């Protein structure tokens, strides 16, 4: 089964959020099941330097008038997964992140930049592929790769099957109609029945409209997006395709996220011996400038500072959390007004509240490990990975019952505590009071060390690895392709990650 996995970011090459974690880990899990998965993504500034064995594999010349392209082949530094980077300096060789400049402004040509990603995927899939490989399936992710099915022939004969995964309905890749002529799309696609969305161009709609199958990243979110509250205007189209839509829960990379081996941590630990977690707490309190008190509960928030994550109500909740005797450590970046409020709160509550505005992968690992409680509230949450990392690190999450949060966290109630199935704290109202109320329940349980330990161990024991979900994706691919003759195809042997690999991944 040959799968071209098309994405705008993949850890450890480029990451702004959960999509990168999925794009780093799912291809590896699929490969372990025998699928020949290759990742296709843009080569941003510095990305090729992180590849192992990078070499120019093909020169495509000008692609659809969008830029001169070379394909750079290499392997992921950690997992060895084959990667093709689209080398197009005029589109991708810039300061800043994958989507924004260094000042946080969206690049003006993002429509062209990501149309190029889909054009290259379609070129690889075609009869005149520039590479010595063509896919049975193209797995396109999020709006950035939404045009892929619009660029392939409509008839299934002679083209790969397409799977389109929605990682977040809130991001749709909507651009002015004036951008359409430059995107190299057939004119006939710009209709209300196609990728036109209220007079604009919607990359997401193209994926939803034309991919053979649709998936999203949790079973609950797959239901939610059929409703106006969560569908962001696409609920009608999604309902018309409900038979082709499945929710497959994201997993986590349990090599990168393993408290017993994580080299970012000052001490390692596992469910048998949590002493290292206490050392992690002490160390992270020091790192954040919090009072070094082992008994004081430490509440963390590690997230994009956006309305989705309810970061706007966090500043209202923090004084109440401090009044209940907790410390609060925030690691995040996003809305500048929220950033400023958090910095002001840290100044007002020295030693009790700390805010690190920025993005740091190793610091995130240390805070997941050192905290007792993670606030992971959300107005909507396709899957959410933060709560999964927290649970694996014995840090109990406080969440709302939406999307993947509903599918992965079991509220600590009298019944679930008695049954030993509780793994966190769930609240309904998307308000500061709702959040503080659930955090108060967490703090009460934290006062009872034996009960707390029981919930912690249950959370750490949950299996959030990728293998089950990777099997579900493989079954979905197979349902589209029928049998493919894998015996005649060579799949690079998998080698387990070495200590050096782990270091590179951290
Ligand atoms: P989303 O993709 O919507 O942002 P997820 O929970 O699915 O939310 O994934 C977020 C990922 O980004 C997690 O790996 C989380 O640890 C990481 N993350 C978010 N903010 C930061 C930050 N400021 N520093 C380091 N990691 C962060």
């Amino acid at each position: 089964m040959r799968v071209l996995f098309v994405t705008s970011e993949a850890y450890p090459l480029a990451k702004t959020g959960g999509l990168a974690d999925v794009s780093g880990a799912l291809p590896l899990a699929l490969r372990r099941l025998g699928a020949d998965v290759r990742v296709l993504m843009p080569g941003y500034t510095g990305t090729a330097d992180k590849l192992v064995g990078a070499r120019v594999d093909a020169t495509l010349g000008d692609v659809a008038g969008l830029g001169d392209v070379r394909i750079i082949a290499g392997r992921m530094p950690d997992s060895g997964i084959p990667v093709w980077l689209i080398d197009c300096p005029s589109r991708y060789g810039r300061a800043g992140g994958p989507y924004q400049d260094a000042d946080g402004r969206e690049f003006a040509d993002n429509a062209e930049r990501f149309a190029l990603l889909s054009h290259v995927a379609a070129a690889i899939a075609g009869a005149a592929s520039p590479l010595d490989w063509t896919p049975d399936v193209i797995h396109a992710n999020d709006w950035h790769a939404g045009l892929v099915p619009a660029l392939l022939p409509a008839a299934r004969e002679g083209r790969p099957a397409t799977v389109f995964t929605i990682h977040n309905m809130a991001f749709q890749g909507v651009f002015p109609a004036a951008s359409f002529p430059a995107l190299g799309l057939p004119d006939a696609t710009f209709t209300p029945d196609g990728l036109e969305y209220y007079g604009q161009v919607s990359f997401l709609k193209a994926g939803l409209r034309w991919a053979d199958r649709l998936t999203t990243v949790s079973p609950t979110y797959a239901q939610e997006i059929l409703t106006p509250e969560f569908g962001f205007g696409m609920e009608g189209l999604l309902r018309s395709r409900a038979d082709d839509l499945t929710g497959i829960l994201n997993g986590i990379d349990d090599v990168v996220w393993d408290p017993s081996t994580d080299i970012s941590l000052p001490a390692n630990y596992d469910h048998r011996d949590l002493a290292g977690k206490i050392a992690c707490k002490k160390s992270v309190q020091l790192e954040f400038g919090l009072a070094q008190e082992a008994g004081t509960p430490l509440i963390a928030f590690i997230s994009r500072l956006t309305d989705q994550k309810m970061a706007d109500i966090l500043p209202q909740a923090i004084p109440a959390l401090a009044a209940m005797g907790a410390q609060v450590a925030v690691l995040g970046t996003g809305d500048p007004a929220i950033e400023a409020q958090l910095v002001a709160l840290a100044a007002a509550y020295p030693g009790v509240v700390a805010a690190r505005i920025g993005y740091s992968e190793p610091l995130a690992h240390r805070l997941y490990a050192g905290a007792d409680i993670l606030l992971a509230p959300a107005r909507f949450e396709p899957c959410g990975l933060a709560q999964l990392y927290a649970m694996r690190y014995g840090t109990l999450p406080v969440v709302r019952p939406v999307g993947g949060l509903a599918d992965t966290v079991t509220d600590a109630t009298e019944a679930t505590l008695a049954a030993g199935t509780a793994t966190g704290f769930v609240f309904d109202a998307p308000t500061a009071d709702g959040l503080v109320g659930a955090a108060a329940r967490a703090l009460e349980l934290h006062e009872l060390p034996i009960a707390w330990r029981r919930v912690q161990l249950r959370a750490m024991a949950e299996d959030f690895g990728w293998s089950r979900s990777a099997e579900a994706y493989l079954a979905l691919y197979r349902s589209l392709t029928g049998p493919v003759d894998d015996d005649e195809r060579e799949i690079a042997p998998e080698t387990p990650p070495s200590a050096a690999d782990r270091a590179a991944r951290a």
Side-chain angles (χ1 to χ4, degrees), residues 15-19 21 168 171 250 257 302-304 308-309 331-333 356 358-361 363-364 368 381-387 389:
K15 171 169 171 176
T16 70
L19 171 61
D21 290 356
N168 194 333
F171 302 110
N250 279 342
W257 295 95
I302 305 169
S303 175
R304 294 184 288 116
Q308 177 193 339
K309 307 290 186 179
L331 170 62
T333 161
R356 284 293 172 83
Y359 193 97
S360 165
E361 201 71 33
L363 187 54
Y368 282 118
E381 187 57 86
C383 177
L385 295 173
Q387 84 280 11
Y389 299 145

Side-chain angles (χ1 to χ4, degrees), residues 281-282 285 290-297 327 351:
K281 178 170 177 177
K282 235 175 139 179
Q285 283 172 323
L290 297 167
Q292 279 191 282
E293 299 160 354
T296 302
Q327 295 178 339

Side-chain angles (χ1 to χ4, degrees), residues 46-274:
T47 307
D49 301 340
K50 296 182 191 160
L51 279 189
V52 174
R55 64 186 162 78
V56 176
D57 205 1
T59 302
L60 273 58
D62 180 56
V63 173
L66 293 164
D68 274 329
V69 168
R70 295 184 312 168
I71 303 278
I72 296 181
R75 287 182 179 262
M76 286 285 192
D78 47 0
S79 60
I81 293 293
V83 178
W84 282 307
L85 292 183
I86 304 172
D87 181 49
C88 180
S90 66
R91 294 294 183 190
Y92 303 133
R94 304 185 181 166
Y99 321 114
Q100 300 175 335
D101 66 18
D103 296 322
R105 279 184 301 253
E106 300 288 309
F107 292 120
D109 61 345
N110 271 347
E112 290 90 339
R113 294 174 77 234
F114 292 104
L116 182 60
L117 174 62
S118 290
H119 274 285
V120 174
I124 292 173
S129 173
L131 304 173
D132 183 20
W133 187 93
T134 50
D136 301 307
V137 175
I138 302 189
H139 187 158
N141 291 275
D142 263 355
W143 73 261
H144 317 95
L147 298 185
V148 171
L151 292 167
L152 297 174
R156 264 295 276 117
E157 279 309 298
R159 69 154 169 89
T162 49
V163 172
F164 180 69
T165 296
I166 305 153
H167 294 263
N168 194 333
M169 287 300 298
F171 302 110
Q172 303 201 348
V174 174
F175 300 97
S179 65
F180 182 79
L183 303 181
L185 287 159
D187 285 343
T189 58
F190 193 62
T191 65
D193 187 38
L195 53 72
E196 191 236 20
Y197 185 67
Y198 294 103
Q200 297 185 291
V201 178
S202 169
F203 280 43
L204 179 77
K205 194 176 169 200
L208 301 182
R209 175 71 183 75
W210 287 304
D212 297 318
R213 288 284 190 283
L214 307 176
T215 73
T216 190
V217 291
S218 69
T220 294
Y221 196 59
Q223 294 302 314
E224 288 172 342
I225 57 179
L226 304 179
T227 67
E229 186 184 353
F230 296 98
F232 285 88
M234 293 295 168
E235 58 276 7
L237 173 55
L238 282 168
R239 274 201 301 272
S240 75
R241 299 218 54 198
D243 289 347
D244 297 322
L245 170 66
T246 348
I248 302 176
L249 192 67
N250 279 342
I252 62 175
D253 184 326
D254 45 20
V255 174
V256 173
W257 295 95
D258 181 350
S260 71
T261 55
D262 189 332
I263 60 155
S264 304
L265 306 186
N268 292 113
Y269 59 94
D270 62 19
H271 62 283
R272 285 168 306 215
D273 181 2
L274 285 160

